[in-house]
Amino acid sequence: MSLEAKIAGLTLGDETSIVAAINADGVEKSGFASNISALAGKCVSTTDAVAIAALTTVKAVAEGAPAAQCFNKECLAGCIEQANARSPEVSKLAKEAALSICTNITPFAMKSLLPTIFAALDVEKKWPSRTLALTCISTFNKTAPRQLGDALPEVVPEVTACMWDTKKQVKVAATEAMKSACDVIGNKDIEHMTGKIIIAISKPKEVPEIMHQMAGVTFVQSVESPALAMVVPLLLRGLREKKTATKRQSAVIIENMSKLVDNPLDAAPFLPLLLPALTQNAESISDPEARDVSQRAVDQLKRLKALADKALSVRGDISKIDEIFKNALGADDSENVTKVISHAAAIATCMMDLKFMEDLQWKKQVSPVFAAYFSTEKAEECTEKVRAEAEKLMEIPEEDDDDDDAEELCNCVFTLAYGTKILLHNTKMKLMRGKCYGLLGGNDSGKSTLMRAIANNQVEGFPDTNEVRTVFVEADIQGEQSHLSCIEYVFVDEKIQAIGCTKDEVKEILATVGFVSDGKAKPDHAVSTLSGGWRMKLALARAMLQKADILLLDEPTNHLDVINVAWVKNYINSLVGVTSMIVSHDSGLLNDCCSHMIQIENLKLNSFKGNLDEFVKIRPSARAYFTFAASKLKFSFPQPGPIEGVKSKGKALMKMGHCTYTYPVNDTPTLFDISVQVSLSSRVACVGENGAGKSTMIKLLVGEIEPQTGTVWKHPNARIAYVAQHAFHHIESHLNRTPNEYIRWRYANEGEDKESLIKDTMIFTEEEVKLQQTPYAIQFTDEESGKITKVKKVVTGLVGGRKTNKSKDYEYEVKYAGSTTDSGEYLPQKTLKKMGWEKAMKAVDLKIAQRSGLYVRPLSTKNVEKHLEDCGLQAEFGTHYRMSALSGGQKVKVVLAAAMWNQPHILILDEPTNYLDRESLGALAGAIEGFAGGIVMITHNNEFCSKLCPETWVMDSGHLETKGDADWMLNQDTKISDQEQISEMTDAAGNVKKVKGQKKKLSKKAEKNMVKKVKAKLKEGQELDSEEEEFAIEKELI
């Protein structure tokens, strides 16, 4: 009996012979392919016996005849429909048959079943068939996990709708299907959250809490369509929540996840869902900060959408592959052949999506589908042709590289993180021998971290630094090596030891860069005596000895004067066969030396051929790295407020007179006869070549060191902020604190700056201690009798009080030897100076000056956070990151913010342009322009100082010459009372309060009138206003 006849009169028991016929003769010759429609019709028969026979046959074929699956799957719709049958036996068999089809089909053909399954989920269908369809989806979790993951963007919306169904059985089956789907996401960052995501879908009240937990997830792994499919429904709910906090968290998660989408086409299906909801929030949320966060996420999604619109889709296209198969096979349009080719195309496109592109894989999975219609040889040959064409479809054309003749040193794809922050993600880096690459990116983008990771063999796929000799050049000198001589410092380096260099070779190379016994930098002197410029030259000399294949230069022109910058350019350009990678804010260096530019943007490295000028033509936005005017960032410094006894901004607050200084290890003075002064109006640039003595002069001015001859004076009420050349020394002992914690620690004692007292000039000398211990004749006058007595006493310390006597000189409160309590007695400044207490008086002056701002800001986390933001450090890094995890640019901002906390009158900056990108420099320039105090800066950045400083101190071999408009301060003799003062403060509880300005001192006439007015009011019993009350208390009228 033919198979056609058997199917026509199908009875229970025929299934075994049908399976045998298919296996023996194939689907076409046996007649199974041509009679599949009849079998599918019998599956939905209302006659139980016919339905049972058909369903049993479908199950048997699914389990015993794999060659028939491309036809047998047509019965799936009937099997699912029969789940509604009244007969329990038919219903049970229908379920078994449907699950057999889903379980036994080739995993790569799983997607071809989804249209049938989704059709059965329609809300108008009966619940048993809907439940069975959901159970079918659950089975793919075990039989085709990767293929199910690839199909999640289609599966999740269908299943999500069923989770809200009114029928309990459908809801339970949908939840199980969703759990199965969650198991195949393949994203370790969120797999621990999948259970909670499912709860959020079915229980909307849980969304805010789950969003809060999701916001704490650090996303590292690439985000692909399966993960997006699972998370997007939750994010949409979060965006539509009433609470602003939940909306904000959703926006943050969207922004973070979208940055890790490697293929924009993965995100394309979800963008039309997320963008409208995000855009609405960005426009309508009342909280401005949450609106900004939402807008950032909108911008990120729009960027992704633009990339998706441009992207060439490399996902498998069934219609294209179908056509390629037809042409390769020379197939006719017969119905059965068309069905076989469609099935093969479904398998092939799924393999393309999952990157299964090996010839053996296609031979095993695709070729057997054609066994009944084409010879094995032809099927395999045509399959290979189609696979080759499919590979071409998947290729993304790369830009041509004209450097084919150059040796390729590196071509790798890697991810780079620093702590919990992703800096680069699945990005490609290609370096050719002999080329010079300029590395661009904003502060905190990961430039220095990338170079350090390359040097430390931490970049996946990068050649080992022993095979390709890689040298990282930076000027920072470790504290434990600062006592070594320049020769020893280079010689003890592990890499120098490894290549077997002798001390003579080290000395020889140091001489070529200027380290000679009669020069400014001597090879036998300790590296701690070197200025910043000479430290960089020392680092370059060490690199020259190592004969690098790849030279990594981090800000090589930092601290360097014009002469030495030219030397660095010549050195880099003279290198033959050496690949250089340079991080620099010096546009001249990048223009003169670089053959390629690499930009860090959106967690990717983007490479361009040409120097900086050519790159800016293509990417005009990159101009912001190098021009102040293009800066959108704004810094804001607190205003200094008035100083007691200083009426004009032109009055000197700091002076140096005829100062000469010689370092202990030197014979010749570093500074000769220096005299300068600084006032609130000062805008001074201190310039000069490396080693000329600029930083030494500033250290004298701020009191870090003492001159051998000459005087240094500072107004006792002036507050000075000093940011040193090697700025990180301010914070190197506090790297385990956050910037916020550091500032609160530093000023915790009623606004006193703990670091200001850590100076050599504040430590008593042996002579001063001897004077302090010697009894001194102190004169006392009895107020009643007028009798004068002299008593020899020893002062053991200054208590901290200070007042002005009739001669308008300061007197300081002292404690005498033998006294257990504070005496409450004051001694004049001149007397205490003779007794050896001059430094202690300066310390008291300093403390009082630090406390005597216009107001004292409470050291609350919120206030410090706001202050850090004003100095360019976002709250994320200022309050939540430890300083050890910050970049060089961020650390400079911390040092600057810490120095500015107590509202200084004078700001002294030693090389402020080092480590800051151009955007930050533009913001710093703006803050300096708006600062009402004095500024002194050492810098080699002429563009920076020329805009800000009309006066220039030129240092040349220890001799100072002033240039520019030295008398410009005469035109700036502004009354201090006219300057802008802070009018509001935020207390520790976050309340904003109005702040009173400092009271104006009344003239004698005005004071006399005020006394009369207050006395009259008191006599008549009238209430005094707050100002009158303060006056009355001060004058002891009440």
Side-chain angles (χ1 to χ4, degrees), residues 814-947:
V814 297
K815 186 175 182 179
Y816 292 116
S819 173
T820 55
T821 59
D822 296 343
S823 65
E825 293 184 20
Y826 288 76
L827 288 180
Q829 184 177 336
K830 292 175 182 175
T831 303
L832 285 169
K833 188 174 181 180
K834 292 175 183 174
M835 297 174 73
W837 291 101
E838 185 178 7
K839 288 175 183 172
M841 287 188 289
K842 285 183 180 178
V844 170
D845 291 340
L846 187 63
K847 287 181 180 180
I848 291 171
Q850 286 170 357
R851 294 176 182 177
S852 66
L854 182 62
Y855 70 90
V856 177
R857 286 177 287 185
L859 264 175
S860 65
T861 303
K862 190 177 182 69
N863 277 346
V864 176
E865 186 176 281
K866 173 68 169 62
H867 177 69
L868 284 163
E869 284 185 328
D870 286 344
C871 292
L873 192 67
Q874 296 170 352
E876 185 73 16
F877 301 105
T879 304
H880 304 292
Y881 275 65
R882 287 185 172 180
M883 290 192 285
S884 57
L886 300 184
S887 69
Q890 289 171 323
K891 286 177 181 172
V892 169
K893 290 172 186 174
V894 174
V895 173
L896 192 59
M900 295 302 294
W901 172 258
N902 67 352
Q903 301 157 254
H905 297 102
I906 305 290
L907 174 60
I908 298 175
L909 301 167
D910 194 346
E911 295 284 9
T913 57
N914 291 344
Y915 302 102
L916 290 180
D917 60 19
R918 282 302 172 111
E919 189 176 25
S920 298
L921 281 181
L924 177 60
I928 288 172
E929 282 177 350
F931 181 56
I935 298 281
V936 178
M937 68 173 82
I938 296 177
T939 180
H940 292 118
N941 189 320
N942 183 57
E943 185 185 359
F944 185 72
C945 68
S946 62
K947 287 191 173 193

Side-chain angles (χ1 to χ4, degrees), residues 278-308:
L278 255 181
T279 304
Q280 185 181 349
N281 285 356
E283 293 170 354
S284 62
I285 295 177
S286 57
D287 180 0
E289 195 270 343
R291 275 203 312 273
D292 290 345
V293 170
S294 299
Q295 187 57 51
R296 283 207 311 268
V298 169
D299 295 342
Q300 177 65 17
L301 288 193
K302 283 182 177 176
R303 182 190 71 82
L304 206 54
K305 185 177 184 302
L307 292 173

Side-chain angles (χ1 to χ4, degrees), residues 484-513:
L484 297 174
S485 71
C486 297
I487 293 174
E488 284 292 334
Y489 175 75
V490 174
F491 183 70
V492 299
D493 185 273
E494 291 177 6
K495 291 179 179 176
I496 299 297
Q497 292 283 312
I499 59 176
C501 272
T502 64
K503 283 192 179 181
D504 287 338
E505 288 173 315
V506 172
K507 191 170 184 178
E508 191 177 320
I509 204 81
L510 285 177
T512 65
V513 298

Side-chain angles (χ1 to χ4, degrees), residues 774-791:
T774 305
Y776 188 85
I778 298 169
Q779 184 174 294
F780 293 95
T781 306
D782 190 299
E783 289 184 8
E784 291 180 7
S785 63
K787 187 179 177 183
I788 296 173
T789 55
K790 283 190 176 183
V791 181

Side-chain angles (χ1 to χ4, degrees), residues 617-674:
K617 288 174 189 173
I618 303 168
R619 289 283 180 92
S621 59
R623 199 181 303 279
Y625 298 137
F626 300 96
T627 56
F628 301 139
S631 175
K632 294 176 186 175
L633 189 65
K634 299 291 179 214
F635 288 3
S636 174
F637 291 159
Q639 298 305 336
I643 307 177
E644 185 186 338
V646 177
K647 299 299 180 189
S648 92
K649 292 182 74 174
K651 185 173 180 178
L653 298 182
M654 303 178 81
K655 287 182 185 177
M656 281 173 60
H658 306 290
C659 291
T660 297
Y661 180 78
T662 308
Y663 277 103
V665 293
N666 291 349
D667 299 324
T668 309
T670 302
L671 298 176
F672 299 88
D673 194 32
I674 303 293

Side-chain angles (χ1 to χ4, degrees), residues 423-437:
L423 299 171
L424 293 167
H425 182 74
N426 270 16
T427 191
K428 182 178 180 180
M429 180 167 65
K430 184 178 180 181
L431 301 179
M432 309 299 287
R433 184 177 289 281
K435 305 300 175 187
C436 183
Y437 298 85

